[in-house]
Amino acid sequence: ARQVVRPKEKMTTSEEVKPWLRTIYGTSKELVTPTVIAGVTFSAKPEETPNPLKPWVSLEHDGRPKTIKPEIKKGQTKKGRPDYKTYFKTAVTHTYSYEDLKAHNMDPNQKHVEEEYIDEDDTYVSLNPVVRCTPDLYFNKGLAKDIRSEPFCTPYENSRWKVDHTYFVSWYTRFFEDVNSGEVADQVRVHLSYVKENPREKGNYKR
Amino acid sequence: DLPGTFFSSEWIDNLNGLMAIEVDEDWLQNEFERRIVVSVQPKYIPDEDFNPLQYGVLLHITKGSRVFKPTKEQLALDDAGITNDQWYYVALSIPTVVVIFFVFMYFFLYVNGKNRDFTDVTRKALNKKRRVLGKFSEMKKFKNMKNHKYTELPSYKKTSKQN
């Protein structure tokens, strides 16, 4: 005889995400409408007090979202939010002359070049809870796994996308830099195309 | 309008570098699996210059998984004690039948132990062996026997007439 176990009810939240108000760029007010995609809430209202252990959303190899809860172990934060280093910063070089700095250990005719990284405008970027794609998260693809996957971080090559499932395609935004103008493309669009692979390309054709 | 492209999104801001795509069954075109390429076209590259295969990622879109795995619901029902276990009976009954058969065979042989006689079989096998030229003492079966009182007389190949 086995104890009858009630299957757990699937948690469904009936609460609706409500629009919220914020002030950007100092004075202009803006209404932000959160959206929920594949269980991930985008443009959610930030918490009053910043929480270092706030869960964040990472992506599986095939692009499915997964929630990561940071932990504190031995005084260190494990699985914390990824550090984007300077990938989304703009590098500016300043050249200072002796007149500008009047440093005591500087020759009168010496020039000092300093590189400064300017943070990007995170007004809208901060509303995205999903990990952003940086070259650190690239993977190797191709038959010999020797081709970098730039600009994509997800999905990995040969992933299987199933019908009626939602997957995230993520790419490094600064990869699309216009050669002529040197500016990053402000708009992009995603394409899905059919391909036919011959046996050789599939890699199972030996002779 | 790109060759082979069956889905193109709107122009979106290249801000987060992220886009959610829900796989539609129509894209499979009544096949179980299709091979696709995911590619991103920046605004400054016109359609005729854009090559999806240059930086695209090769994927499979499939209707589902080929291998049957119990879904969470089925596992939950199992936990609830609601199981359809006909196959369980089948799986158990086969070895049971085999065991019963062997037990029955053992007792049958045990009961008939007294009235069994295989001498005709052994004789036929030995006759077959005896046709081999050479001494008994050299046969594999008798090689290690030590109680030879005398050496054998030579034996010849029997012709079919002599049988």
Side-chain angles (χ1 to χ4, degrees):
Chain A
R2 290 172 61 181
Q3 295 300 322
V4 173
V5 171
R6 290 264 161 265
K8 273 201 262 1
E9 296 301 317
K10 197 170 275 189
M11 299 296 282
T12 54
T13 57
S14 59
E15 67 178 80
E16 278 177 54
V17 276
K18 298 182 186 63
W20 52 282
L21 176 70
R22 69 173 179 165
T23 308
I24 55 174
Y25 304 123
T27 55
S28 71
K29 292 188 182 307
E30 182 185 48
L31 274 182
V32 180
T33 310
T35 51
V36 179
I37 301 173
V40 178
T41 308
F42 287 84
S43 314
K45 188 173 183 180
E47 292 166 359
E48 299 305 326
T49 55
N51 168 15
L53 296 181
K54 182 182 175 190
W56 55 285
V57 179
S58 173
L59 293 175
E60 306 260 5
H61 282 188
D62 58 359
R64 276 173 302 134
K66 67 179 175 183
T67 305
I68 307 283
K69 293 188 179 65
E71 301 156 357
I72 290 187
K73 279 183 185 163
K74 296 180 187 137
Q76 282 186 340
T77 305
K78 297 283 182 202
K79 294 187 219 175
R81 234 179 202 301
D83 171 18
Y84 298 126
K85 298 179 185 132
T86 59
Y87 285 116
F88 295 108
K89 296 183 179 178
T90 310
V92 175
T93 53
H94 298 288
T95 45
Y96 299 108
S97 65
Y98 178 72
E99 286 70 32
D100 300 336
L101 297 181
K102 292 198 176 12
H104 68 87
N105 56 354
M106 191 175 175
D107 291 342
N109 54 8
Q110 182 183 349
K111 291 266 187 276
H112 172 62
V113 176
E114 180 135 357
E115 223 174 46
E116 182 190 359
Y117 287 95
I118 298 174
D119 286 335
E120 65 174 338
D121 170 18
D122 68 346
T123 309
Y124 293 97
V125 168
S126 59
L127 300 176
N128 166 28
V130 179
V131 64
R132 292 174 77 187
C133 174
T134 61
D136 288 349
L137 298 176
Y138 283 164
F139 58 91
N140 288 333
K141 64 178 185 180
L143 280 178
K145 296 282 183 264
D146 56 348
I147 304 169
R148 294 292 281 173
S149 69
E150 55 195 18
F152 292 99
C153 289
T154 61
Y156 270 41
E157 184 135 273
N158 295 325
S159 301
R160 288 185 176 282
W161 280 5
K162 289 185 183 135
V163 168
D164 296 336
H165 286 67
T166 302
Y167 299 91
F168 285 92
V169 176
S170 64
W171 62 88
Y172 178 45
T173 51
R174 302 239 168 151
F175 176 78
F176 299 108
E177 208 163 306
D178 190 354
V179 178
N180 310 324
S181 63
E183 285 184 13
V184 175
D186 54 355
Q187 285 198 317
V188 294
R189 66 178 176 171
V190 175
H191 298 286
L192 299 180
S193 320
Y194 291 124
V195 285
K196 271 199 186 345
E197 259 184 320
N198 59 26
R200 178 181 292 276
E201 279 163 350
K202 278 180 187 159
N204 45 21
Y205 183 77
K206 281 187 179 167
R207 305 272 180 297
Chain B
D1 40 84
L2 286 174
T5 302
F6 60 88
F7 170 81
S8 291
S9 71
E10 300 297 323
W11 288 101
I12 57 174
D13 289 341
N14 186 24
L15 196 62
N16 292 325
L18 197 66
M19 178 169 180
I21 293 181
E22 183 171 355
V23 181
D24 190 353
E25 185 157 2
D26 297 341
W27 299 347
L28 287 169
Q29 294 182 337
N30 296 327
E31 288 195 25
F32 182 76
E33 178 174 309
R34 289 300 299 258
R35 199 79 159 115
I36 66 166
V37 155
V38 176
S39 54
V40 173
Q41 175 193 7
K43 191 97 178 181
Y44 59 80
I45 296 183
D47 285 356
E48 54 277 5
D49 297 341
F50 178 65
N51 173 17
L53 296 178
Q54 186 180 0
Y55 293 112
V57 175
L58 273 175
L59 292 183
H60 302 268
I61 51 173
T62 65
K63 190 171 284 184
S65 57
R66 289 177 194 274
V67 175
F68 172 71
K69 284 183 189 157
T71 59
K72 284 192 186 117
E73 286 73 22
Q74 282 166 343
L75 288 174
L77 281 175
D78 282 353
D79 287 347
I82 304 167
T83 54
N84 60 343
D85 48 9
Q86 281 83 358
W87 70 270
Y88 202 70
Y89 295 127
V90 169
L92 262 188
S93 57
I94 292 172
T96 316
V97 165
V98 168
V99 165
I100 291 173
F101 169 74
F102 276 111
V103 167
F104 169 74
M105 195 71 185
Y106 172 77
F107 281 111
F108 175 75
L109 291 175
Y110 180 72
V111 165
N112 294 311
K114 294 283 180 298
N115 48 20
R116 246 196 318 266
D117 177 19
F118 293 113
T119 50
D120 52 347
V121 176
T122 47
R123 190 179 312 111
K124 203 180 290 177
L126 276 179
N127 288 345
K128 206 180 289 178
K129 278 214 183 326
R130 269 203 194 90
R131 264 200 231 115
V132 174
L133 287 181
K135 294 177 182 171
F136 251 108
S137 57
E138 286 168 6
M139 285 172 67
K140 191 169 54 174
K141 189 173 180 181
F142 303 111
K143 194 177 293 177
N144 298 328
M145 286 170 75
K146 292 284 177 272
N147 58 353
H148 292 293
K149 287 198 190 61
Y150 52 88
T151 57
E152 284 175 32
L153 294 173
S155 62
Y156 296 98
K157 192 184 189 74
K158 285 183 190 153
T159 59
S160 57
K161 284 195 198 61
Q162 284 173 333
N163 277 348

